[in-house]
Amino acid sequence: MTDYDLIVIGAGAVGENVADYAHKRGLSVAIVEAELVGGECSYWACMPSKALLRSGHAVAAAKRVDGAEQAVTGDLDAAHVLARRNSFTSDWKDDSQVEWLDSADIALIRGHARITGPKTIEVEGETHTARAAVAVVTGSLHSLPDVPGLADAKPWGTREATSAQHVPESLLVIGGGVSGSELATAWASLGAKVTLVARHGLLGGMEPFAGELVADAMRELGIDVRTGVNPTRVDRDEHGLVTTTLDDGTTVVTSEVLAATGRSAHTADLGLEAVGLTPGDWLDVDDTMLVQGTDWLYAIGDVNHRVLLTHQGKYQARAAGEAIAARFQGTPLHTEPWGAHVATADHAAVPQVTFTDPEVASVGLTEAKAREQGLNVRAVEYELGSIAGAALQADGYSGRAKMVVDEDRGVVVGVTFVGQDVAEMLHAATVAVVGEVPVDRLWHAVPAYPTMNEIWLRLLETYGRPE
Ligand SMILES: Cc1cc2nc3c(=O)[nH]c(=O)nc-3n(C[C@H](O)[C@H](O)[C@H](O)COP(=O)(O)OP(=O)(O)OC[C@H]3O[C@@H](n4cnc5c(N)ncnc54)[C@H](O)[C@@H]3O)c2cc1C
């Protein structure tokens, strides 16, 4: 039996941050990992998917600049793209991340952890207890939609779609969310003939024009985007071909099928029943990430189902790591909104980039969401292609921006940009939303000429300056 102040279950990016922040406050910390230190983001999600997309974006961007276009004389070299992707996952080895744990003085316990009672866990028959807290940072799992035949057809999940070592001749993507849209774009750019089917439009939950512009661009890339349809049956034949029947009566035959329709909580085999919680459920937490009804169990990252994004999980981890230490050491806890020990931004200012082409970069509330919350908002939109910086960035640049303003408080509560290279423009919007910068003051934040950030000026002009 080994004791630590804090035991973290799950060494994904989020778990590593909880461990690090608590340890920096003086706690002894152990982290338990059943697979690879670094978790989903490093090996089967953010990093490999963005690596698969980047080369296609670079070529497409060059082709949109006269003079550079003439220098692009061939197609993407898929083998090199896949090799570059492999390098970003360190060939699915976690040595460098283990080295980091060692250097940070965080003990690594390899194996599958189960909670056996308050502050007590078991890994491979060994019991470990925590003096302060146990943090569950086990993430989420790819979940398969309930389509007859799909499970037997050996579909790709997001793991297979981010780690495949060859380009399939053709691919059917089921699901038009962020992962489905990104992976459809990536594999199409690598030469696969891609069909994407989505129950509704693409990128639900975002401003409606985001999904519309991305769908238009995907079609231009050669992806067969079909919205308003559902698969009703999937069969893989003896030659390996997959036939998917859709509810509009059509069928699609492809080499592979990717189900990208959602995630479920990674809590089924975690021993939650030993402490009165339900296996398989997402864990409900307060703003310090403390599981409701406990004073020792924390749940951080995907597993609490607040926001399924690495950067937001890491933000929660910084707050929770500090909160765990403060509670253990009896130092003041700052749980007021925007205090050091709470993840307030989860409710008001989540930034997200969808790395399709065009990219979608958004933060805060959409207009619809703001109205649903009862805010008195006014929204303005502007064509990004009309900005001098955008015209220089790409010939025929087209894109769109929207700013949602809370009229009662005079502050921006949401921003969405859609267009090439908008990802790097997002942080200014995040600062404006988190800082609740008055719109009057934003007029004094002068965007450099000729950059695409001049969109801010045009949005403000469209909104109108108070008399
Ligand atoms: C295709 C795809 C692309 C994505 N792209 C982005 C992106 O660009 N940007 C972004 O911000 N987010 C992205 N995400 C989301 C992001 O991957 C997750 O939000 C993030 O990985 C969550 O981190 P986590 O640490 O909570 O969980 P995970 O990364 O899943 O880590 C959990 C860890 O816990 C371990 N574990 C689980 N149970 C146990 C147990 N009982 N005992 C021991 N260990 C256990 C697992 O092995 C795993 O290593 C993407 C997701 C997908 C699927």
Side-chain angles (χ1 to χ4, degrees):
M1 182 153 119
T2 339
D3 289 345
Y4 300 92
D5 294 333
L6 169 66
I7 295 175
V8 178
I9 305 177
V14 181
E16 289 176 325
N17 273 268
V18 188
D20 191 33
Y21 271 70
H23 181 266
K24 280 189 201 146
R25 290 286 178 195
L27 272 62
S28 65
V29 182
I31 195 163
V32 192
E33 177 51 54
E35 293 188 81
L36 295 176
V37 175
E40 211 69 15
C41 183
S42 305
Y43 306 103
W44 300 286
C46 330
M47 292 307 282
S49 62
K50 268 79 254 181
L52 287 174
L53 283 157
R54 177 63 197 141
S55 309
H57 284 355
V59 169
K63 283 184 178 168
R64 292 183 194 124
V65 182
D66 197 15
E69 182 190 356
Q70 288 73 9
V72 181
T73 52
D75 292 331
L76 271 192
D77 185 321
H80 278 262
V81 175
L82 297 181
R84 182 170 183 268
R85 183 276 319 271
N86 292 352
S87 76
F88 276 98
T89 63
S90 308
D91 286 311
W92 292 271
K93 294 192 188 76
D94 63 4
D95 307 51
S96 64
Q97 305 235 22
V98 173
E99 255 171 54
W100 175 80
L101 284 180
D102 282 347
S103 69
D105 191 28
I106 297 162
L108 171 62
I109 303 170
R110 293 261 189 202
H112 184 98
R114 281 183 197 84
I115 296 168
T116 50
K119 297 189 188 176
T120 310
I121 66 156
E122 195 184 279
V123 185
E124 316 274 327
E126 292 238 351
T127 298
H128 305 270
T129 60
R131 284 178 280 264
V134 172
V136 173
V137 200
T138 52
S140 61
L141 289 174
H142 176 260
S143 63
L144 267 193
D146 188 16
V147 179
L150 180 60
D152 294 334
K154 296 201 178 67
W156 276 7
T158 47
R159 281 195 167 196
E160 290 77 12
T162 49
S163 63
Q165 296 296 331
H166 72 281
V167 181
E169 205 174 299
S170 52
L171 173 68
L172 173 73
V173 178
I174 304 173
V178 174
S179 292
S181 301
E182 286 185 347
L183 291 166
T185 302
W187 288 108
S189 77
L190 286 162
K193 184 174 165 1
V194 177
T195 305
L196 181 145
V197 294
R199 184 178 303 166
H200 306 293
L202 303 192
L203 304 180
M206 300 192 185
E207 293 292 357
F209 64 83
E212 287 159 18
L213 292 176
V214 168
D216 290 347
M218 278 187 172
R219 289 190 177 108
E220 264 174 50
L221 186 65
I223 300 174
D224 179 1
V225 179
R226 305 187 194 183
T227 53
V229 283
N230 292 297
T232 54
R233 160 123 224 124
V234 181
D235 294 286
R236 193 184 280 272
D237 68 18
E238 66 277 20
H239 307 295
L241 287 178
V242 186
T243 300
T244 304
T245 309
L246 304 173
D247 61 3
D248 62 1
T250 60
T251 55
V252 186
V253 180
T254 50
S255 334
E256 300 293 348
V257 57
L258 160 64
T261 49
R263 315 281 303 169
S264 58
H266 198 173
T267 59
D269 189 16
L270 191 60
L272 288 182
E273 63 283 5
V275 289
L277 295 164
T278 309
D281 277 4
W282 302 101
L283 292 171
D284 219 12
V285 294
D286 69 12
D287 269 3
T288 67
M289 307 299 126
L290 189 62
V291 173
Q292 305 285 1
T294 77
D295 63 0
W296 60 276
L297 186 65
Y298 290 74
I300 308 139
D302 278 14
V303 76
N304 64 32
H305 209 224
R306 284 163 69 106
V307 185
L308 275 65
L309 289 168
T310 296
H311 49 265
Q312 213 63 21
K314 284 160 65 177
Y315 160 73
Q316 294 169 5
R318 296 189 284 273
E322 300 269 3
I324 291 166
R327 286 195 173 109
F328 185 53
Q329 293 165 342
T331 53
L333 206 65
H334 300 287
T335 55
E336 69 287 359
W338 307 110
H341 300 121
V342 286
T344 308
D346 283 0
H347 308 296
V350 175
Q352 177 162 23
V353 174
T354 305
F355 290 85
T356 42
D357 182 14
E359 293 167 342
V360 179
S362 61
V363 62
L365 304 174
T366 59
E367 182 181 359
K369 194 85 196 158
R371 291 196 192 285
E372 207 182 291
Q373 291 187 6
L375 297 183
N376 172 28
V377 293
R378 184 153 65 88
V380 290
E381 291 187 29
Y382 203 85
E383 167 60 47
L384 248 166
S386 312
I387 306 297
L392 284 164
Q393 193 79 355
D395 299 337
Y397 191 107
S398 98
R400 195 161 200 79
K402 180 166 181 172
M403 175 173 80
V404 183
V405 179
D406 179 340
E407 297 254 89
D408 294 344
R409 292 187 300 140
V411 298
V412 178
V413 292
V415 176
T416 300
F417 300 124
V418 181
Q420 182 190 311
D421 301 328
V422 295
E424 299 297 338
M425 289 164 58
L426 182 58
H427 199 60
T430 306
V431 172
V433 174
V434 170
E436 299 173 323
V437 183
V439 173
D440 299 0
R441 180 58 67 88
L442 281 178
W443 281 84
H444 297 274
V446 184
Y449 182 82
T451 66
M452 298 204 298
N453 282 302
E454 278 204 311
I455 187 66
W456 282 98
L457 181 54
R458 300 291 167 249
L459 286 169
L460 289 170
E461 285 170 348
T462 309
Y463 182 74
R465 198 167 196 174
E467 300 282 305

